[in-house]
Amino acid sequence: MADGASLEARLCSEQYGSGAARGCCAAVDGSLQWEAWGWRWWGFSGAFTAKPEGPDGGGEGAPATASAPLSRLLALFLPQGFPDSVSPDYLPYQLWDSVQAFASSLSGSLATHAVLLGLGVGDAKASVSAATATWLVKDSTGMLGRIIFAWWKGSKLDCNAKHWRLFADILNDVAMFLEIMAPVYPICFTMIVCISNLAKCIVSVAGGATRAALTMHQARRNNMADVSAKDSSQETLVNLAGLLVSLLMLPLVSGCPSFSLGCFFLFTALHIYANYRAVRALVIETLNEGRLWLVLKHFLQRGEVLGPTSANRMEPLWTGFWPSVSLSLGVPLHCLISSVSELQQLVEGHQEPYLLRWNQSQNQVQVVLSQMAGPETVLRAATHGLVLGALRRDGPLPRELEELRNQVQAGLAKESWVIVRETHHVLDKLFPKFLKVSSCCLPPLYGGILPIVPGPALSSFPPVSPALEHLPCSSTRPNPFVGFQDSPPSLSHQSHPVCFQSQRPCQGLSGALITSLTIFKPHPPKPPQINVI
């Protein structure tokens, strides 16, 4: 009866963007009593109602009063609007991330204790200047390593965030193990701590970059700053707890190196396991090369498209650094060709706004993108490259691709550009079906984060040479790489140069330099002109 009375006394209700709603009813004293939120993220089903107080001032309103401190506490560490302002995988990822941060904090305390012991803290014979010099050499080595690693791998950290996040945490454990073992070899102490600090600086670059990519994935209401700030608060709380535990642990292990090493291995095992579970909890709704290959392979074999959850669950985390085919998107044109005949082979048969070259011996695919290339074109170009890589693999394929694979694996004399042209015709039939099925099965955010190789930002080249005017165009529909005009250009023609432009065709493509090639319509050869001097 009390529930029925409260429902009858409900005066109004409010509904939020997530679809959740709560109402309020009139209390005896005339105040409004709102329903309390149900914590569906914590395993409770439905919302519990804060009933109005009775005439005797009883405790029927206790649930709302009891939940208020918990709500204020969670507001300190969770983004505003949680859980609807973040991705569905936010909570499981953050829980496992907190566990790994706690284990890493304890391991870090043991490593710091070992480094200070090796520097001579507590030893009257130790030299302050020698310890200072060792510390400076250690830091300078790490700074140089940070710069070199950011230059070497910086552009690949966001598209493979899960792989590099796991790599960074494992490398961090290796660095701390080196620090713990450094005092055992005093002669090599400086070299060991320098290598360890170099590894830690690489960890900071990879961890920071992947953390930014994951924050972008988790923020669903343009609240990246709030998600990042609350993640920092959670990490600070975990590190504070780790500091308190370390203060109790270090006096117990300081006199027993074997016990210290055993504790380190225990914390390291927990750290790696928690990291693996955290990365596995992520359901990233964008396509990188690995997830695109899984989706494409499933489509070629069964005619179905994997959803984001299935694709992320099947994505390899340990072998993702060595793909079977080397796929490079956005390669400058001059890296693909060196002669007119190569350009003629590259252009022939291309009806899409991209040019593709396949090196069979190295299983390397390089793609030049037109300025007309949009998200669908980039996806087709990447799919085309992976289809060429599939010709060198085993497994069921559609009949058209099976015939091509038999020819490639049999070693029949067939040029790569001929196979590329034939796969163009196959993709003309398969790719529309792939897109149609994908649009029915996948959410709108299942778009692309594919690594784009940055090229030179050149505004223009000299005019097109007359030798390029007579390249045949065998396509039956307009080729996006061919600019038709009424009269052939001359050497002094300046209105249609071959140009390279930098643009970002769609959200999620980082650093894409899109190249556009203009080749003029062939004309009948003119009779040669002889100038008599």
Side-chain angles (χ1 to χ4, degrees):
M1 296 298 294
D3 292 340
S6 63
L7 292 174
E8 292 176 359
R10 178 178 293 182
L11 299 178
C12 61
S13 63
E14 56 185 1
Q15 186 172 6
Y16 296 85
S18 62
R22 65 172 181 172
C24 71
C25 55
V28 177
D29 58 358
S31 62
L32 294 178
Q33 194 73 32
W34 288 93
E35 296 176 349
W37 290 110
W39 295 100
R40 60 184 175 89
W41 283 74
W42 301 93
F44 294 97
S45 58
F48 56 90
T49 305
K51 301 182 179 65
E53 295 181 357
D56 56 348
E60 289 184 345
T65 305
S67 64
L70 178 62
S71 300
R72 296 191 186 98
L73 180 63
L74 293 177
L76 292 175
F77 300 103
L78 295 177
Q80 185 178 7
F82 174 85
D84 302 299
S85 61
V86 293
S87 59
D89 57 7
Y90 177 84
L91 187 63
Y93 174 81
Q94 293 300 126
L95 289 176
W96 284 112
D97 186 62
S98 299
V99 173
Q100 69 86 18
F102 180 75
S104 180
S105 178
L106 298 180
S107 300
S109 300
L110 296 175
T112 303
H113 176 268
V115 171
L116 295 178
L117 182 64
L119 289 174
V121 175
D123 188 358
K125 298 180 181 180
S127 172
V128 177
S129 60
T132 304
T134 302
W135 198 270
L136 293 178
V137 172
K138 176 178 74 72
D139 287 349
S140 60
T141 304
M143 292 175 185
L144 292 176
R146 185 194 301 267
I147 295 173
I148 294 175
F149 181 77
W151 161 78
W152 183 34
K153 293 293 184 181
S155 61
K156 299 181 180 180
L157 297 177
D158 54 348
C159 57
N160 292 313
K162 295 197 287 187
H163 302 142
W164 286 107
R165 176 59 193 270
L166 198 58
F167 166 81
D169 287 299
I170 294 177
L171 184 61
N172 189 45
D173 292 331
V174 173
M176 289 189 291
F177 175 73
L178 291 176
E179 290 179 344
I180 289 179
M181 297 301 295
V184 181
Y185 305 97
I187 299 178
C188 304
F189 178 81
T190 302
M191 182 182 66
I192 293 176
V193 295
C194 287
I195 296 176
S196 172
N197 197 60
L198 174 63
K200 283 191 172 182
C201 287
I202 293 177
V203 168
S204 66
V205 175
T210 54
R211 178 66 255 181
L214 295 180
T215 301
M216 183 182 300
H217 157 69
Q218 292 174 337
R220 293 303 170 92
R221 290 186 180 176
N222 296 324
N223 56 338
M224 283 186 58
D226 187 26
V227 172
S228 179
K230 296 305 170 57
D231 178 72
S232 178
S233 298
Q234 297 169 20
E235 187 175 359
T236 302
L237 178 64
V238 171
N239 289 335
L240 180 60
L243 177 62
L244 296 177
V245 175
S246 298
L247 291 176
L248 301 176
M249 178 185 62
L250 288 178
L252 301 176
V253 302
S254 58
C256 185
S258 59
F259 183 59
S260 175
L261 192 60
C263 291
F264 171 78
F265 284 134
L266 176 63
F267 298 145
T268 300
L270 177 61
H271 179 240
I272 294 177
Y273 175 75
N275 266 292
Y276 179 79
R277 292 296 301 270
V279 171
R280 273 300 179 201
L282 289 171
V283 181
I284 299 180
E285 297 167 334
T286 52
L287 287 171
N288 62 1
E289 184 177 341
R291 289 188 289 274
L292 176 59
W293 166 244
L294 289 173
V295 174
L296 178 62
K297 181 175 69 172
H298 194 80
F299 173 76
L300 293 177
Q301 294 178 353
R302 303 185 182 182
E304 302 173 353
V305 174
L306 290 174
T309 303
S310 301
N312 279 267
R313 189 182 301 116
M314 297 170 58
E315 182 181 8
L317 298 179
W318 306 105
T319 60
F321 295 101
W322 303 280
S324 60
V325 57
S326 176
L327 176 62
S328 301
L329 298 176
V331 178
L333 180 64
H334 67 267
C335 295
L336 271 65
I337 56 174
S338 58
S339 64
V340 175
S341 60
E342 290 182 355
L343 178 59
Q344 178 179 353
Q345 295 174 357
L346 194 67
V347 173
E348 185 175 357
H350 281 67
Q351 301 176 357
E352 299 292 331
Y354 67 88
L355 299 177
L356 186 145
R357 180 184 179 184
W358 182 35
N359 188 332
Q360 293 192 55
S361 59
Q362 301 179 1
N363 202 16
Q364 182 182 29
V365 177
Q366 295 175 305
V367 180
V368 179
L369 297 174
S370 167
Q371 63 180 356
M372 300 166 54
E376 183 177 321
T377 300
V378 175
L379 182 60
R380 170 167 173 144
T383 303
H384 194 171
L386 295 178
V387 165
L388 291 172
L391 299 181
R392 305 179 68 91
R393 296 188 180 200
D394 296 329
L397 289 177
R399 180 178 55 82
E400 301 88 347
L401 294 177
E402 184 69 30
E403 296 175 357
L404 286 177
R405 182 172 63 181
N406 293 335
Q407 297 175 7
V408 171
Q409 294 183 351
L412 299 178
K414 209 166 195 179
E415 296 291 340
S416 297
W417 65 274
V418 177
I419 299 177
V420 170
R421 183 182 60 187
E422 293 180 2
T423 52
H424 261 294
H425 300 321
V426 174
L427 283 178
D428 286 339
K429 301 178 181 178
L430 290 181
F431 189 72
K433 299 178 182 178
F434 179 64
L435 278 184
K436 183 178 180 180
V437 177
S438 301
S439 62
C440 298
C441 302
L442 303 180
L445 285 178
Y446 210 48
I449 292 185
L450 294 168
I452 306 295
V453 178
L458 301 180
S459 59
S460 64
F461 274 151
V464 180
S465 169
L468 299 183
E469 298 175 17
H470 304 288
L471 293 182
C473 177
S474 60
S475 60
T476 56
R477 55 181 176 178
N479 191 315
F481 287 93
V482 178
F484 295 95
Q485 56 182 25
D486 295 335
S487 59
S490 62
L491 286 176
S492 59
H493 193 276
Q494 299 291 335
S495 61
H496 295 278
V498 178
C499 61
F500 290 81
Q501 299 181 354
S502 172
Q503 74 176 42
R504 187 181 300 269
C506 65
Q507 185 178 4
L509 296 177
S510 57
L513 289 179
I514 310 304
T515 59
S516 63
L517 169 65
T518 302
I519 300 176
F520 297 96
K521 181 180 179 180
H523 290 269
K526 294 183 178 180
Q529 297 180 0
I530 302 177
N531 297 325
V532 180
I533 299 178

